[in-house]
Amino acid sequence: MTATTHPAVPAFSGPGIPLSRLVKVEFRKLVDTRASFWLAASIAIISVIIGVVTLFVAASSPDATALRNEFEMMTAPMAFLLPVMAILLVTSEWSQRSALATFTMEPRRERVIEAKLIVAIVASIIAVVIAFVLAAVFTGIGGLIYSDPEAGSWSISGGALASGVLNILLGVLVGFAFAALFLNTPAAIVTYFIIPMVLGIVGGLIPWTRDHLIDWIQTPTLPSDPEGADWAHLLVSTLIWFVVPMFFGVNRIMRSEIK
């Protein structure tokens, strides 16, 4: 009796899905759920509301519509909401059980992580550009409404502009790293917001930690006019808040069993 033999099926050796296509898919995922869509919409809505409020405030405080103040206020809600968008971009794969489909179509998990990271960074830059444009629009309106030279002032330092953009990007990167580490939306969001609050409380209760430690371990931020020590603080805090959790988070994604 002869055994029936079947020809071996050759392994797929194609070039794989291009990174540009993965980035397009991840951009679509960024707003294709109800939570992420309304989160993105709320950023734009809140920015417009802030601009309108500054026009009324400028009646008693003319510099409220100065470009430097408009930009600072426009980016404030973004610093709070954009990291949450980055978290949802990563954790939604696991909370909605779509990771199996994603990693089946693209087995190279590092490529998916890379695409998500690119989307998070690009979306943040787009949001900051929109904030700057809106700030410029309301600055111009303030200059037309009020005659005070402080109203509608276009002066803004390069340091203030650069630190605003960098702080937004750092917040998004930290949120992304926490999402990769926990792969759970509530855990990542709570950890992202609770730890800085705890550090602030500790710094308020223990003066030594406020004077010698908190600046090194707080969430990475850069003041408008950074000095040498500020850059050192930024480097160490970025290592603690982004590099370390991102390293372990990527390893967890690469090794996690998909169910």
Side-chain angles (χ1 to χ4, degrees):
M1 182 176 178
T2 53
T4 305
T5 59
H6 298 279
V9 179
F12 176 73
S13 58
I17 301 176
L19 181 62
S20 59
R21 189 180 303 169
L22 291 175
V23 170
K24 291 178 182 178
V25 171
E26 296 302 330
F27 259 115
R28 189 162 59 246
K29 290 180 182 179
L30 192 64
V31 293
D32 68 350
T33 65
R34 187 176 302 173
S36 58
F37 171 80
W38 284 109
L39 188 60
S42 66
I43 294 175
I45 294 171
I46 292 173
S47 298
V48 173
I49 292 175
I50 288 174
V52 173
V53 170
T54 58
L55 295 178
F56 290 97
V57 173
S60 57
S61 179
D63 65 343
T65 57
L67 181 59
R68 64 182 182 276
N69 292 331
E70 288 278 9
F71 180 69
E72 182 178 347
M73 287 185 286
M74 291 287 182
T75 54
M78 294 184 179
F80 183 83
L81 296 175
L82 285 174
V84 178
M85 287 192 66
I87 290 172
L88 291 174
L89 181 64
V90 178
T91 58
S92 60
E93 295 282 6
W94 307 86
S95 61
Q96 298 178 14
R97 300 181 182 274
S98 60
L100 179 60
T102 298
F103 294 131
T104 298
M105 291 185 290
E106 177 50 275
R108 296 171 296 179
R109 300 188 185 186
E110 69 277 4
R111 299 270 288 179
V112 176
I113 298 171
E114 183 181 356
K116 288 181 181 293
L117 187 58
I118 291 173
V119 168
I121 293 173
V122 172
S124 302
I125 294 173
I126 292 173
V128 172
V129 170
I130 293 173
F132 185 82
V133 171
L134 288 174
V137 169
F138 284 101
T139 297
I141 295 174
L144 293 174
I145 295 176
Y146 302 102
S147 58
D148 193 293
E150 285 293 324
S153 171
W154 293 95
S155 66
I156 182 172
S157 66
L161 188 61
S163 64
V165 175
L166 182 60
N167 290 338
I168 292 291
L169 287 176
L170 287 171
V172 168
L173 292 175
V174 171
F176 191 97
F178 277 32
L181 180 63
F182 292 106
L183 298 181
N184 179 277
T185 303
I189 292 177
V190 169
T191 304
Y192 179 86
F193 289 109
I194 290 297
I195 292 181
M197 293 175 58
V198 172
L199 291 177
I201 294 173
V202 171
L205 295 175
I206 308 174
W208 183 89
T209 61
R210 181 184 62 246
D211 297 335
H212 300 90
L213 183 63
I214 297 298
D215 287 340
W216 296 94
I217 62 174
Q218 68 179 353
T219 50
T221 55
L222 191 68
S224 300
D225 299 309
E227 301 177 352
D230 295 322
W231 291 104
H233 296 159
L234 181 70
L235 181 63
V236 174
S237 60
T238 301
L239 178 67
I240 295 172
W241 283 81
F242 172 66
V243 176
V244 173
M246 189 66 176
F247 173 79
F248 288 103
V250 169
N251 274 276
R252 183 178 183 185
I253 292 175
M254 297 295 292
R255 299 172 181 272
S256 291
E257 179 184 358
I258 302 175
K259 300 179 181 179

